[in-house]
Amino acid sequence: EPQTMRRILVTLAVLSSIQFASGQERHAPAAFDLVRQGTPMCSIVIAESPSPSMRLAALELQWHIMQITGAEIPIRCESEQVGGRRILVGESSATRQLGLRGVNFQPQEYLVAFRQDTIILMGRDWQDTEVNRKAQGRSTTDQTLQQLRHKIDYWNAVGYPDRSAGELELPGIYDDQGTCLAVYDFLERFCGVRWYGPSRLNIVIPSRTTLTVAGEDIRRSPALKHRSALAGGSWPFLRGQWGDYTQEQVYLYWRRIRQGGERWAGNHTFHRNTIRTVFNDPEYQCQNPRGLGSQLCYTNPKLVHQVAQMARDYFDGKGELPEGWKAMGDYFAIVPDDNINLCTCEACQALLEKGKDRKTGFFSSGEMSEYWFSFVNAVARQVRKTHPNKYIATLAYWSYAFAPDFDLEPNVSVAPCLHTCYYPVHAEMKENDLRFYKQWQEKSEAPMFLWVYYHHPMEPALIDRWKCFPHVMVHETARAMQMFVRDGVRGIFECGEQDQLEQYVMAKVWDDPDVDVDGLIDEFFRLYFGAAAEPMKKFYLSLERIACDPANYPPPYYRSNGIDWKKAAWERLGTAERMEEFRSLIVQAEELTATETEKQRVALWRSALWEWMRQGRDHQQR
């Protein structure tokens, strides 16, 4: 069965995640001095014409080691005569002599290897060729592949404006960048670096004059293949906890926490713009006046044929995607507009009639599943005749969240939309979500992706201009993500933003579902807040305990299809007694800070969380 096969594949991936490169005999090389008493003891070696991933990886390795030791390890080109110890970053003539080539790695697979007087950090990288540059694609957030190859002034971004060398193009978010993955793993695992946000204040970098590394070889890839949590601090908690940062630093941060990966996209594609410019044939326009211009007649054969041909043209690299259309890699998305003003023709109504008894009382139901997935199947059936290894991607969302009664074509890739932010406190909504999630697990043959919501209570609070109680749910998020990855879900798109630590923990679970979550949390507070770790940890976990306790949401705060977040925030969650406890913990943390860095970090959390809460409660009390 598809679900069983996915689990087998995930198990095999985990079992093979640590292995040795190129069949060489297993051994334990001597410790490798990168820097000794502030003096560089090796060189970083890259190819004559490095890929974007190699260029960034070499700079990132050099800069972070400078921050740790104060020593600058030189970056050398392979054509130079480089003696002594070497760190080989990316494929070069030196790695080829060792039998290691980028093309022999799987997408996103990378290697950290120790050899005599040599460290190897490499993987499969996107190559800057004319053909690769021309590849079409637009992400779930409507950015093209080229727009996602961000350009930055690297040295300015990391705090050395006097060393500015002009613009550096970063590896694209959804381009292969195995060499970067290898360097970031190396910096975390062997050098003790942690990226808790984009600014220098958010990065934990140890300080020592001698940096020596040793270990076993690592050859692996991230467990989740498509990772889209491109948080930019657009919501208050994350923005406040990060402090002062630049957009260039955010672009680096996304790569450091391994966002991106396999190309996939899924979002609304049929909307007013595309209907006006692409789907303007009178023959298949929606016959419902309310849906005219935003919906189409999804039973019309001519529409099916046109969309199927668009998919073929995309897969064949012919022309550009219509503005606003989503497709990346092997996935061509088709998703209706975000309303249910659907066609009233006889054929459409006959299919819609089949869903009249599939209401659930929740946002996610199956009212139009028979209708929508009949259209998806019809398009996929045509595309499969010419492109059997490509996929039609769609969402399982709102009134078409549940699977239809019929089987899907094997090339239909579905992304269920799950209200994960409700899971700790709304058992009925979670149960409803998992019901259709498991349906899709059993029914789908194609790779499955997810769209996960982290938008409540912050989104309604921002829209209506009130301050919500911080909805910290780091353990519930970790458990859900571990389940999804172990079930074989191939990729996840996050809708919304969490707080600083929860965002970090989720990214780490996406990389490795077996990571010790409590260990990550303990390490964060110890490394980030130092002497103030204990009261800050108690502050944070108390937020989680209160926000995730279902007993704090009795009726009428608890509704069958949601939570009255606004009333619950300061009547049930942030009570006067609890607010005094939170205030006391923040004051205690401030008194315990031992360094200027600790003081600044506590101040950011005070402003982002405690002051937000205080203002929210004060406003409601007026």
Side-chain angles (χ1 to χ4, degrees):
E1 293 182 1
Q3 183 181 14
T4 303
M5 181 58 68
R6 269 194 291 270
R7 285 175 173 160
I8 291 172
L9 291 173
V10 169
T11 302
L12 290 174
V14 171
L15 290 175
S16 64
S17 65
I18 299 178
Q19 50 184 281
F20 292 87
S22 67
Q24 297 186 29
E25 184 179 350
R26 185 170 180 167
H27 61 290
F32 189 108
D33 285 347
L34 283 78
V35 176
R36 185 183 301 157
Q37 294 300 312
T39 301
M41 302 302 293
C42 60
S43 299
I44 296 169
V45 180
I46 62 174
E48 190 77 33
S49 299
S51 68
S53 175
M54 295 178 201
R55 284 195 296 268
L56 177 61
L59 287 169
E60 288 279 72
L61 183 63
Q62 182 186 56
W63 181 78
H64 282 88
I65 293 174
M66 282 174 60
Q67 303 312 297
I68 295 170
T69 67
E72 181 175 345
I73 298 178
I75 299 174
R76 306 295 188 198
C77 178
E78 62 181 337
S79 62
E80 301 179 47
Q81 294 297 319
V82 181
R85 295 188 170 189
R86 306 168 300 170
I87 306 176
L88 305 181
V89 176
E91 180 183 344
S92 63
S93 56
T95 67
R96 290 191 290 273
Q97 289 174 8
L98 295 171
L100 295 167
R101 298 174 179 268
V103 294
N104 294 330
F105 286 77
Q106 295 298 312
Q108 303 186 64
E109 184 184 26
Y110 62 87
L111 172 70
V112 177
F114 298 87
R115 299 291 178 264
Q116 189 65 38
D117 294 329
T118 301
I119 294 174
I120 304 159
L121 305 172
M122 68 176 295
R124 178 187 287 240
D125 289 335
W126 178 87
Q127 300 301 312
D128 191 358
T129 66
E130 183 179 356
V131 171
N132 285 343
R133 282 280 176 190
K134 288 183 177 179
Q136 287 292 303
R138 190 176 286 110
S139 72
T140 298
T141 55
D142 208 28
Q143 295 171 292
T144 66
L145 290 174
Q146 186 56 41
Q147 288 171 332
L148 290 163
R149 296 178 185 122
H150 305 107
K151 295 180 180 180
I152 69 169
D153 183 326
Y154 179 81
W155 287 105
N156 185 65
V158 297
Y160 288 74
D162 57 311
R163 296 188 56 159
S164 174
E167 217 169 43
L168 173 75
E169 184 179 63
L170 304 180
I173 289 292
Y174 302 107
D175 292 339
D176 280 329
Q177 49 195 287
T179 298
C180 276
L181 296 180
V183 165
Y184 293 137
D185 191 324
F186 177 80
L187 288 169
E188 283 187 324
R189 195 183 300 259
F190 297 101
C191 303
V193 175
R194 297 292 183 270
W195 299 283
Y196 294 127
S199 77
R200 181 60 184 86
L201 185 63
N202 304 145
I203 306 173
V204 171
I205 299 179
S207 178
R208 57 179 66 102
T209 57
T210 295
L211 181 58
T212 302
V213 298
E216 299 286 353
D217 290 5
I218 299 160
R219 187 162 179 167
R220 67 179 299 275
S221 60
L224 192 70
K225 301 309 176 188
H226 175 92
R227 303 171 298 281
S228 285
L230 302 181
S234 58
W235 286 9
F237 293 156
L238 203 56
R239 181 170 65 245
Q241 289 169 311
W242 282 353
D244 293 329
Y245 58 92
T246 67
Q247 188 60 54
E248 289 188 334
Q249 291 172 331
V250 171
Y251 293 150
L252 281 174
Y253 174 67
W254 290 345
R255 287 151 178 89
R256 290 167 175 172
I257 62 168
R258 284 71 134 191
Q259 292 305 295
E262 184 172 281
R263 294 176 183 176
W264 168 87
N267 206 338
H268 303 289
T269 53
F270 294 106
H271 44 71
R272 293 188 180 278
N273 186 51
T274 55
I275 288 175
R276 184 179 68 254
T277 59
V278 181
F279 303 103
N280 50 19
D281 191 321
E283 191 171 329
Y284 51 61
Q285 296 306 304
C286 178
Q287 293 188 23
N288 181 348
R290 296 181 62 189
L292 189 63
S294 68
Q295 299 287 3
L296 294 168
C297 177
Y298 296 112
T299 58
N300 189 286
K302 191 171 183 179
L303 177 62
V304 170
H305 177 78
Q306 182 176 341
V307 175
Q309 189 57 51
M310 284 176 57
R312 291 192 188 99
D313 289 345
Y314 163 73
F315 291 131
D316 291 339
K318 296 179 180 178
E320 295 186 2
L321 289 165
E323 183 180 352
W325 201 274
K326 283 76 176 176
M328 283 208 301
D330 294 337
Y331 299 88
F332 183 87
I334 55 174
V335 181
D337 203 3
D338 206 358
N339 65 66
I340 52 173
N341 301 320
L342 303 170
C343 183
T344 54
C345 80
E346 185 176 342
C348 288
Q349 287 301 305
L351 286 173
L352 287 167
E353 182 69 16
K354 294 182 178 181
K356 67 179 183 179
D357 297 325
R358 302 194 68 186
K359 295 182 180 181
T360 61
F362 300 100
F363 179 82
S364 301
S365 73
E367 294 174 67
M368 60 178 285
S369 293
E370 305 293 312
Y371 176 58
W372 174 248
F373 289 104
S374 292
F375 173 71
V376 173
N377 256 2
V379 173
R381 198 174 297 120
Q382 288 198 20
V383 173
R384 188 158 62 95
K385 294 175 183 177
T386 55
H387 298 75
N389 297 319
K390 306 297 183 181
Y391 299 98
I392 298 300
T394 192
L395 302 180
Y397 165 71
W398 193 12
S399 54
Y400 49 98
F402 278 77
D405 289 335
F406 51 78
D407 291 334
L408 290 186
E409 292 294 317
N411 60 328
V412 172
S413 174
V414 178
C417 299
L418 305 178
H419 294 81
T420 39
C421 52
Y422 276 93
Y423 285 6
V425 296
H426 206 295
E428 293 173 283
M429 191 177 296
K430 179 179 180 180
E431 182 182 354
N432 188 64
D433 267 13
L434 295 184
R435 188 181 302 121
F436 70 81
Y437 164 74
K438 290 174 182 176
Q439 278 186 2
W440 289 115
Q441 281 278 316
E442 295 168 359
K443 186 177 282 285
S444 300
E445 294 184 38
M448 179 184 287
F449 296 78
L450 294 178
W451 178 301
V452 295
Y453 291 107
Y454 282 93
H455 60 331
H456 280 201
M458 182 58 77
E459 185 177 82
L462 292 177
I463 292 172
D464 293 334
R465 299 184 180 182
W466 55 276
K467 287 180 164 55
C468 60
F469 187 86
H471 193 60
V472 174
M473 49 176 286
V474 61
H475 286 91
E476 180 67 40
T477 287
R479 282 190 290 270
M481 297 304 159
Q482 286 169 329
M483 177 184 71
F484 297 148
V485 175
R486 289 166 181 162
D487 282 349
V489 167
R490 193 156 186 89
I492 298 177
F493 171 83
E494 181 197 30
C495 182
E497 288 184 357
Q498 302 139 305
D499 71 87
Q500 179 181 12
L501 179 54
E502 190 170 328
Q503 197 89 33
Y504 172 80
V505 168
M506 187 174 76
K508 300 304 289 182
V509 172
W510 284 1
D511 181 69
D512 177 8
D514 295 324
V515 70
D516 178 0
V517 172
D518 283 318
L520 288 179
I521 295 171
D522 290 344
E523 180 185 72
F524 170 80
F525 286 100
R526 175 174 54 83
L527 295 179
Y528 203 68
F529 293 114
E534 283 307 310
M536 292 304 292
K537 180 180 175 182
K538 187 174 182 181
F539 176 88
Y540 185 78
L541 294 182
S542 294
L543 288 176
E544 180 187 36
R545 174 178 50 80
I546 294 165
C548 294
D549 185 354
N552 287 328
Y553 305 88
Y557 308 95
Y558 182 99
R559 300 168 177 171
S560 60
N561 62 348
I563 298 287
D564 187 339
W565 298 107
K566 186 174 184 179
K567 288 183 66 65
W570 310 112
E571 293 180 12
R572 296 290 304 178
L573 308 179
T575 62
E577 182 181 4
R578 288 169 177 161
M579 291 293 286
E580 177 55 30
E581 291 176 6
F582 285 126
R583 187 200 65 80
S584 176
L585 288 169
I586 287 293
V587 170
Q588 183 183 348
E590 290 172 330
E591 292 172 347
L592 288 173
T593 54
T595 67
E596 182 61 29
T597 295
E598 292 171 8
K599 184 179 298 184
Q600 291 178 34
R601 289 169 176 167
V602 169
L604 288 178
W605 273 49
R606 178 188 181 111
S607 176
L609 296 173
W610 163 247
E611 291 297 334
W612 169 278
M613 295 162 62
R614 183 187 62 76
Q615 292 168 16
R617 180 172 172 80
D618 287 351
H619 184 267
Q620 189 190 52
Q621 298 304 304
R622 294 195 199 113

